[in-house]
Amino acid sequence: MDMIVTVLLLVVGLALIVFGADYLVDGASSLARRWGLSEFIIGMTIVGMGTSAPEMVVSFIGAASGNADIAVGNVVGSNIFNTLLILGLTAIILPMGITKSNFKRDIPVNIGITALLIVLGLKHTLFGFGAADGLTRTDGAVLLVAFAAYIWMCLSSKDETPEEAGKVMNPWLSLLFVAGGLAALVFGGQLFVNSATDIAKALGVSDKFIAVTILAGGTSLPELATCIAAAVKKKGQLALGNIIGSNVFNILLILGGSALIHPLNFIGFGWVDLSVLLLSALYLLSACFVGKKYKVDRIDGILFFLTWAGYMTYLFINL
């Protein structure tokens, strides 16, 4: 009976994720049209920050308890998952155009902050600064200032293409769709992860396997569901904004805030993990030149997915 209830909760969690993503995309698109903003900006701010709420909760709790592996690993794993798996699958469903603003500002910023995280985190190994590798409270403050500067730069930008004409809902209804969709995504994602973990344990699956698969991907379920829903609705810029926004939010705000709560060490993270993280950011730049220029096309999506699969294989082999 307990297993039946767990399976039912798993299904309910999945349903909340699917419906939450659908309402979130509709509400966010309506707000973009009403405010004259681009899909990308809405995806990067409202949607990107909202879908990163699970990562923020997990990392802040991990930092507060002094568990840097959880705080840092959650962000590193989520950003790799976001770009290589989620964006890869989304591109296979719907190739996404890359705008001039994406090429000149957003993709370079994504690469820059990823490199900044690695340099700050490994400053002892690279330059001999500090007693050990990790993020200090000063590093956290630097990341938070960079986050505020990037958000200001994006919102004050005048070169974005407004959302195309379409259905515009009442603004309060649009906000309700966004808030309700986000709530359903977060709650449904947590319900799904908890139920899937219980089922895996009942089947005798190891804790390490559960951590690498269910828990690592679980906090990125909102991004996955939102991007696939956006792809189905042909909202490629919203999906791209969601991923870049989530990655920026994860590194600058979540790790910046976590480091202010408690300094974070990088002892548990090797060059392979951080190299794949940087590679995932560079892949977005390569998509501007490889295959169809200025487009994350299906070939790029397959490359992203295969790289993610290779990294997962490496993790399983080295459990």
Side-chain angles (χ1 to χ4, degrees), residues 26-184:
D26 285 345
S29 296
S30 177
L31 287 177
R33 296 188 191 101
R34 178 171 292 278
W35 293 340
L37 297 174
S38 69
E39 288 180 358
F40 181 86
I41 291 296
I42 291 292
M44 190 202 70
T45 53
I46 298 175
V47 180
M49 293 180 191
T51 55
S52 286
E55 285 95 333
M56 182 170 64
V57 172
V58 170
S59 291
F60 281 6
I61 291 176
S65 62
N67 193 335
D69 285 351
I70 288 180
V72 179
N74 181 48
V75 166
V76 171
S78 291
N79 280 20
I80 291 173
F81 191 92
N82 284 348
T83 304
L84 297 182
L85 180 62
I86 297 178
L87 202 59
L89 291 177
T90 305
I92 292 172
I93 296 171
L94 174 73
M96 290 164 283
I98 296 173
T99 67
K100 289 183 179 180
S101 295
N102 297 154
F103 175 66
K104 294 180 179 179
R105 181 193 64 207
D106 306 306
I107 292 176
V109 166
N110 187 43
I111 295 171
I113 64 168
T114 302
L116 176 64
L117 172 65
I118 294 172
V119 169
L120 290 178
L122 299 180
K123 56 185 174 293
H124 177 74
T125 295
L126 295 174
F127 309 110
F129 294 154
D133 287 331
L135 297 177
T136 64
R137 287 190 169 91
T138 300
D139 297 329
V142 169
L143 295 178
L144 289 175
V145 170
F147 174 76
Y150 178 61
I151 294 299
W152 176 85
M153 181 172 59
C154 288
L155 294 179
S156 62
S157 173
K158 302 299 182 182
D159 56 354
E160 296 291 340
T161 302
E163 162 72 296
E164 63 187 13
K167 182 180 178 181
V168 178
M169 295 183 283
N170 178 283
W172 291 109
L173 182 60
S174 298
L175 289 172
L176 181 61
F177 270 43
V178 170
L182 283 172

Side-chain angles (χ1 to χ4, degrees), residues 6 57 133 192 215 229 292 303 315:
T6 302
V57 172
D133 287 331
F192 180 88
L215 297 182
K292 294 181 179 179
L303 175 63
L315 291 180

Side-chain angles (χ1 to χ4, degrees), residues 286-297:
S286 71
C288 297
F289 307 102
V290 178
K292 294 181 179 179
K293 291 187 177 182
Y294 300 105
K295 179 168 290 214
V296 185
D297 58 21

Side-chain angles (χ1 to χ4, degrees), residues 237-262:
Q237 274 286 295
L238 194 149
L240 185 61
N242 181 27
I243 292 302
I244 293 181
S246 293
N247 288 352
V248 170
F249 186 84
N250 286 348
I251 291 176
L252 298 183
L253 185 60
I254 295 180
L255 279 187
S258 296
L260 279 183
I261 294 172
H262 191 285

